[in-house]
Amino acid sequence: MNRLLLVFLAFALSACSANWGWYVVNPQTKAGWTNLTFLLSGLKYTVLLSLTAILISIALGLLVALPGLSTRPWLRRASRIYVELIRAVPILVMILWVYYGLPQLTGLTIGVFWAGVIALALSDSAFEAEIFRAGIQSIARGQYEAAYSVSLNYIDTMRYVILPQAIRRILPALGNQLAYMLKMSSLVSVIGMQELTRKANELVVTEYRPLEIYTVLVLEYLVLILIVSGGVRWLERRMQTDERS
């Protein structure tokens, strides 16, 4: 199967090589190296934007999830309303609303970076809340009773007993959300954020070679996602090893 795939790819590339202008991203030429450097200059903004947004969304998602597990109906209802409202808004719409609409409501000037962070964190927080809710609910009731039997209050029970176990179970889902965040960060290019996609769009305008440039962009995101996936799998194995020991 792998050999057939390699043969197919080799045939496809050789068939379209006459129409491909790889010189625009050829590192062996000065112009190609300059273009590649320009494309990669957006990497730090993509990573910084995604990491900041995912950290905020995790914290916000946990704060939304906990009331959803309360015995008080109005707290559960408030959590559910937040989750449903935020999930109903497309991320691109959220980005545009935060960047153009939020300053008019608050009177504050928001730069493209923080507008992207706020929009992505808000959009992802609803999904994080559901992930945390499912993870916490999967913990056996006996864990709560054991914590209460040694006089732990609710906060300490969550901090030392429930959340560490829940995080081990939801780690793959959190990793998926980080990969999702990296991909969705490309939408922030619409408001001028100089991340990977924005850099690629600007280079296409000057070089007129969208096929080659966007192919490099695909490879950039592919490498990022593979690194994140590998890191999450390593962390998952590490946590399982610590748990067994």
Side-chain angles (χ1 to χ4, degrees), residues 173-185:
L174 294 179
N176 288 337
Q177 287 304 115
L178 177 55
Y180 178 76
M181 185 72 74
L182 283 168
K183 291 185 289 185
M184 291 302 102
S185 67

Side-chain angles (χ1 to χ4, degrees), residues 58-237:
I58 288 175
L60 185 57
L62 180 59
L63 292 177
V64 174
L66 292 178
L69 300 169
S70 174
T71 56
R72 300 178 181 180
W74 68 272
L75 284 176
R76 294 199 306 271
R77 191 175 302 112
S79 175
R80 174 54 53 188
I81 290 174
Y82 176 88
V83 170
E84 295 300 332
L85 287 178
I86 295 299
R87 288 198 304 187
V89 181
I91 294 182
L92 180 57
V93 175
M94 181 69 77
I95 292 172
L96 295 173
W97 184 85
V98 169
Y99 185 65
Y100 294 106
L102 197 57
Q104 295 185 19
L105 293 177
T106 63
L108 300 175
T109 301
I110 303 177
V112 292
F113 176 81
W114 284 109
V117 167
I118 293 171
L120 292 176
L122 281 176
S123 295
D124 191 62
S125 64
F127 298 95
E128 299 288 353
E130 290 296 276
I131 291 173
F132 273 110
R133 183 179 63 83
I136 293 173
Q137 287 180 332
S138 69
I139 305 301
R141 186 63 190 175
Q143 297 294 318
Y144 292 89
E145 296 173 353
Y148 294 149
S149 68
V150 294
S151 302
L152 291 180
N153 57 30
Y154 177 78
I155 295 177
D156 288 339
T157 298
M158 281 293 174
R159 180 180 178 183
Y160 296 112
V161 180
I162 304 303
L163 284 179
Q165 298 181 67
I167 289 175
R168 288 190 181 95
R169 298 185 180 186
I170 66 175
L171 185 60
L174 294 179
N176 288 337
Q177 287 304 115
L178 177 55
Y180 178 76
M181 185 72 74
L182 283 168
K183 291 185 289 185
M184 291 302 102
S185 67
S186 63
L187 296 176
V188 186
S189 62
V190 300
I191 59 175
M193 182 68 189
Q194 294 293 316
E195 41 71 64
L196 289 174
T197 303
R198 181 75 178 190
K199 292 292 186 179
N201 290 337
E202 292 179 358
L203 190 59
V204 167
V205 172
T206 58
E207 294 289 350
Y208 304 104
R209 303 299 305 188
L211 183 60
E212 297 80 3
I213 294 170
Y214 287 136
T215 298
V216 173
L217 180 63
V218 168
L219 294 176
E220 288 174 330
Y221 279 108
L222 176 62
V223 171
L224 276 177
I225 300 304
L226 289 177
I227 291 174
V228 169
S229 299
V232 171
R233 285 195 295 270
W234 174 84
L235 185 58
E236 187 177 0
R237 290 193 299 269

